[in-house]
């Protein structure tokens, strides 16, 4: 039996499996590497190749190389059309990547993988979570559970420490930032708050270096490369910027040699310069951290430690800024690149144990990690209501930070007493937030409503949120009795259109 946690990252993906001693271990891929670049190259524009080979072989054909597609997960947009006319979305790419990771595990253990725990950023919107489940399913793996990345890292850390404490998980990876506050007490691990940015990670720091190099190149050579005519220049620059950034975590200066259209420039970048170019990104991350502490109704003195997770925490500025903010020296007691994946494999063992499965590895039963994990929602979810002055806003039913799984209900009045139809538009966002600032994630329509002048608050809206954070919504007319339930259909991506909202 293989007990697997999969961390499908924006820039790198990792898999961990429980070993016969009951500990998680990284599963090396078929190249022998612990990490697989989340990159796909379509050889001849048709045959997908994944990982380090994709990076190496795709160098000459940047138009067939795809990376960072996790950021577009759940979008219906086609990102590649192959030679046979088949179109691939980010979910399709993720399926290809997961299939490759599955083959790595199967090659190592000589056993089929058909179930695993997958990790997702805590601030991932629901349609992206659904897309991850769909991609795994299409790759032949049933998602036992989706676990938020910082929660997974927190599980790995709490199980290692085996004592009561409160801590911050600061998770800055290739594409996303998650900050969660957790409490470990006995065998209970409770997420007290979670916040973050869906688009803040190492890639954004690289982009600042790339921009600087392009500007310097133009200044020195008189030619400004463009993505349209110099695709290979940008492909190489992405690689050089990544290396330069990593050098700057060790050294105080580095150089990039850039060549394009027969011209060359050598751009020197100091660590100070890099830190000032990216200071707004770091400030944003610190702002999220402060917010997470506040949303947990705590102050820094209530917290025992900060654990650093994700490859980007290796930037010295991140570590020193967090120490300055909190007066706590952050640490990497668990390998920042592996903690999420370890926790996912441990979660998989716990889920199997819950299902009553004896976990047999190498012919003997392994000890199951003992923990009960209480997760919270990363978003508020409500429905669209109209103010007296007609302005549309979000009336939150499930507040951000609510422990899950849970069910919440609220009642609303019709806008006009003689309405015979009500549209309940489900919004992701904060209480009272303007409609345009919220994300519309679904709609329930109640029809043939009997006209009843006396009854206010007749439309009942219920949201049930499962352990993966996925929502089931029900709308009910308390007068006529009509009830409509939807499991939000994420297959078309989120709705940004604004249908008639004459509703509750
Ligand atoms: P992860 O999503 O945890 O795999 O993190 C990947 C990100 O970590 C990428 O953006 C890498 O560039 C970044 N990273 C890895 N090592 C370092 C380092 N030594 N210094 C700065 N960033 C790093």
């Amino acid at each position: 039996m293989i007990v697997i946690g999969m961390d499908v990252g924006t820039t790198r993906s990792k898999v961990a499996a429980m070993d016969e001693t009951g500990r998680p271990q990284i599963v090396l891929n078929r190249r022998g590497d612990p990490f697989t670049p989340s990159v796909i190259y379509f050889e001849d524009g048709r045959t997908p190749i994944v990982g380090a080979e994709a990076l190496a072989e795709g160098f000459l054909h940047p138009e067939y190389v795809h990376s960072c597609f996790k950021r577009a997960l759940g979008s219906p947009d086609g990102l590649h059309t192959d030679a046979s006319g088949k179109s691939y979305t980010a979910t399709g790419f993720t399926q290809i990547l997961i299939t490759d990771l599955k083959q790595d595990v199967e090659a190592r253990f000589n056993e089929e993988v058909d179930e695993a725990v997958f990790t997702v950023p805590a601030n991932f919107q629901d349609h992206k979570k659904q897309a991850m489940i769909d991609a795994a399913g299409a790759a032949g793996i049933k998602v036992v559970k989706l676990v938020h990345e910082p929660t997974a890292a927190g599980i790995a850390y709490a199980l290692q420490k085996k004592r009561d404490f409160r801590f911050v998980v600061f998770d800055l990876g290739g594409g996303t930032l998650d900050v969660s506050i957790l409490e470990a007490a006995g065998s209970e691990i409770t997420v007290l708050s979670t916040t973050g940015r869906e688009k803040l990670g190492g890639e954004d720091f690289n982009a600042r270096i790339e921009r600087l190099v392009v500007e310097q190149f133009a200044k020195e050579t008189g030619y400004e490369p463009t993505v349209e005519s110099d695709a290979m220049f940008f492909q190489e620059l992405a690689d050089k910027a990544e290396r330069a950034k990593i050098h700057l975590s060790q050294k105080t200066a580095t150089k990039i040699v850039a060549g394009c259209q027969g011209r060359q420039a050598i751009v020197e970048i100091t660590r100070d310069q890099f830190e000032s170019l990216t200071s707004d990104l770091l400030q944003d991350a610190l702002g999220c951290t402060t917010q997470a502490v506040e949303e947990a109704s705590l102050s820094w003195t209530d917290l025992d430690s900060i654990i650093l997770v994700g490859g980007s925490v290796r930037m010295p500025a991140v570590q020193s800024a967090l120490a300055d903010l909190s007066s706590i020296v952050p640490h990497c007691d668990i390998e920042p690149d592996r903690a999420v994946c370890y926790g996912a494999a441990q979660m998989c063992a716990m889920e199997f144990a819950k299902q009553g499965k004896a976990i047999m590895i190498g012919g003997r039963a392994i000890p199951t990690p003992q923990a009960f994990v209480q997760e919270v929602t990363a978003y508020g979810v409500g429905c669209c209501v109209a103010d007296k002055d007609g302005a549309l806003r979000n009336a939150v039913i499930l507040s951000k930070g609510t422990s899950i799984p849970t069910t919440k209900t609220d009642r609303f009045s019709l806008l006009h007493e003689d309405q015979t139809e009500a549209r309940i538009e489900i919004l992701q966002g904060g209480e009272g937030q303007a409609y345009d600032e919220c994300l519309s994630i679904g709609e329930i329509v109640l029809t043939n409503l009997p006209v009843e002048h006396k009854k206010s608050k007749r439309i009942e809206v219920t949201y049930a949120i499962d352990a993966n954070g996925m929502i089931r919504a029900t709308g009910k007319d308390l007068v006529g009795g009509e009830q409509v339930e939807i499991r939000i259909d994420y297959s078309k991506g989120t709705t940004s259109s604004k249908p008639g909202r004459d509703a509750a």
Side-chain angles (χ1 to χ4, degrees):
M1 171 177 216
I2 0 184
V3 183
I4 296 289
M6 282 201 180
D7 174 11
V8 180
T10 309
T11 52
R12 303 181 297 179
S13 296
K14 305 133 212 176
V15 183
M18 298 301 279
D19 70 9
E20 53 284 349
T21 67
R23 291 197 195 89
Q25 302 290 349
I26 287 285
V27 181
L28 301 182
N29 63 22
R30 281 160 288 171
R31 284 169 60 98
D33 297 333
F35 311 126
T36 298
S38 304
V39 177
I40 294 174
Y41 165 58
F42 285 85
E43 197 177 32
D44 309 325
R46 180 191 288 260
T47 314
I49 295 178
V50 175
E53 282 84 4
L55 276 175
E57 294 190 26
F59 229 71
L60 290 175
H61 295 286
E63 69 277 23
Y64 294 151
V65 179
H66 299 276
S67 55
C68 291
F69 43 84
K70 185 175 173 187
R71 285 187 159 175
L73 197 62
S75 157
D77 299 338
L79 300 179
H80 178 86
T81 304
D82 74 10
S84 67
K86 183 173 175 196
S87 171
Y88 293 85
T89 60
T91 311
F93 285 163
T94 306
Q95 175 197 334
I96 294 170
L97 175 57
I98 294 173
T99 303
D100 191 75
L101 299 172
K102 172 175 153 76
Q103 288 166 354
D104 284 335
V105 183
E106 291 176 347
R108 195 138 293 269
F109 292 99
N110 205 15
E111 213 178 307
E112 200 187 335
V113 180
D114 52 12
E115 285 187 291
V117 163
F118 280 73
T119 60
V120 284
N123 52 67
F124 235 28
Q125 288 150 356
D126 281 20
H127 71 290
K128 290 175 182 275
K129 290 182 180 172
Q130 183 64 52
M132 184 66 84
I133 293 172
D134 293 344
I141 305 184
K142 178 175 170 247
V143 176
V144 177
K145 190 173 168 66
L146 285 182
V147 57
H148 290 164
E149 288 163 9
T151 306
I155 292 169
Y157 183 59
L159 288 172
Q160 188 191 64
K161 288 287 160 199
K162 294 187 184 139
R163 63 180 171 82
D164 293 357
F165 62 127
R166 278 200 205 111
F167 58 102
V168 180
V169 177
F170 182 89
D171 179 0
L172 188 60
T176 50
L177 167 76
D178 280 320
V179 186
S180 292
I181 313 289
L182 284 87
E183 184 171 64
S187 60
E188 287 198 14
I189 301 168
T190 308
V191 183
L192 302 176
S193 72
T194 190
T195 189
R197 293 277 179 271
E198 222 185 316
K199 288 192 177 147
L200 177 55
E203 282 300 303
D204 303 288
F205 287 77
N206 291 6
R208 299 293 168 90
I209 296 182
E210 289 169 33
R211 200 165 71 196
L212 173 78
V213 172
V214 171
E215 281 167 11
Q216 284 292 109
F217 186 88
K219 211 186 272 179
E220 283 182 32
T221 67
Y223 176 77
E224 183 166 346
T226 62
V227 179
E228 294 71 35
S229 34
D230 306 297
M232 205 179 296
F233 168 84
F234 282 95
Q235 174 86 354
E236 283 176 4
L237 181 56
D239 191 48
K240 287 174 181 171
E242 166 77 5
R243 285 169 205 265
K245 179 186 71 178
I246 289 174
H247 280 167
L248 288 173
S249 293
Q250 265 90 50
K251 304 192 308 179
T252 53
T254 189
K255 286 190 180 110
I256 289 183
V257 180
C260 186
Q261 307 278 359
R263 299 163 170 92
Q264 199 184 58
I266 298 173
V267 180
E268 169 148 347
I269 309 164
T270 63
R271 186 188 287 170
D272 285 347
Q273 197 180 5
F274 172 62
E275 289 177 357
S276 90
L277 278 176
T278 54
S279 64
D280 60 315
L281 302 176
L282 184 54
Q283 285 311 315
D284 195 15
L286 295 179
C288 281
T289 311
T290 304
Q291 188 187 338
V293 175
E294 285 170 5
E295 286 181 0
S297 304
L298 296 172
S299 62
W300 282 108
T301 48
D302 301 315
L303 290 153
D304 300 300
S305 55
I306 301 177
I307 66 160
L308 297 172
V309 176
S312 300
V313 299
R314 294 218 163 80
M315 289 185 284
V318 171
Q319 305 194 13
S320 57
L322 277 172
D324 289 347
L325 177 74
S326 63
S327 303
I328 298 170
V329 179
H331 63 84
C332 307
D333 277 7
I334 295 196
E335 262 266 23
D337 312 282
R338 302 176 184 219
V340 168
C341 207
Y342 285 168
Q346 288 165 314
M347 183 60 124
C348 190
M350 291 189 268
E351 288 298 312
F352 281 169
K354 254 196 235 168
Q355 294 168 11
K357 288 184 185 164
I359 303 171
M360 304 291 292
I361 294 176
R364 61 194 181 103
I366 64 156
T368 312
Q370 295 297 322
F372 172 77
V373 183
Q374 181 65 69
E375 183 59 275
V376 293
T377 53
Y379 290 104
V381 186
C383 65
C384 180
V385 295
D387 275 342
K388 283 195 188 80
D389 59 4
L392 299 173
R393 62 178 179 82
N394 188 20
V396 165
I397 297 173
L398 266 169
S399 313
K400 179 176 194 262
T402 305
S403 295
I404 55 171
T406 189
T407 299
K408 296 265 188 239
T409 295
D410 209 343
R411 289 180 183 172
F412 300 91
S413 302
L414 291 174
L415 198 54
H416 309 290
E417 280 190 337
D418 54 355
Q419 259 177 253
T420 55
E421 185 177 295
R423 287 174 201 271
I424 302 159
E425 189 169 357
I426 304 162
L427 298 181
Q428 203 170 276
E431 172 59 33
Q433 208 169 348
Y435 174 81
D436 288 337
E437 293 167 8
C438 298
L439 188 71
S440 174
I441 57 173
E443 188 181 63
I444 298 173
V445 181
L446 297 172
T447 51
N448 299 323
L449 303 178
V451 175
E452 162 63 81
H453 293 290
K454 291 191 205 78
K455 181 90 180 158
S456 63
K457 303 254 174 191
R458 63 182 272 185
I459 304 294
E460 189 172 82
V461 182
T462 301
Y463 294 154
I465 188 156
D466 69 15
N468 287 333
M470 314 289 293
I471 300 163
R472 190 181 293 274
T474 311
K476 185 175 179 186
D477 172 33
L478 297 176
V479 174
E482 193 198 359
Q483 177 164 319
V484 175
E485 181 177 306
I486 58 162
R487 175 152 187 117
I488 293 173
D489 176 11
Y490 298 107
S491 59
K492 300 177 203 71
T494 52
T495 35
S496 54
S497 63
K498 294 163 198 169
R501 293 175 303 267
D502 53 343

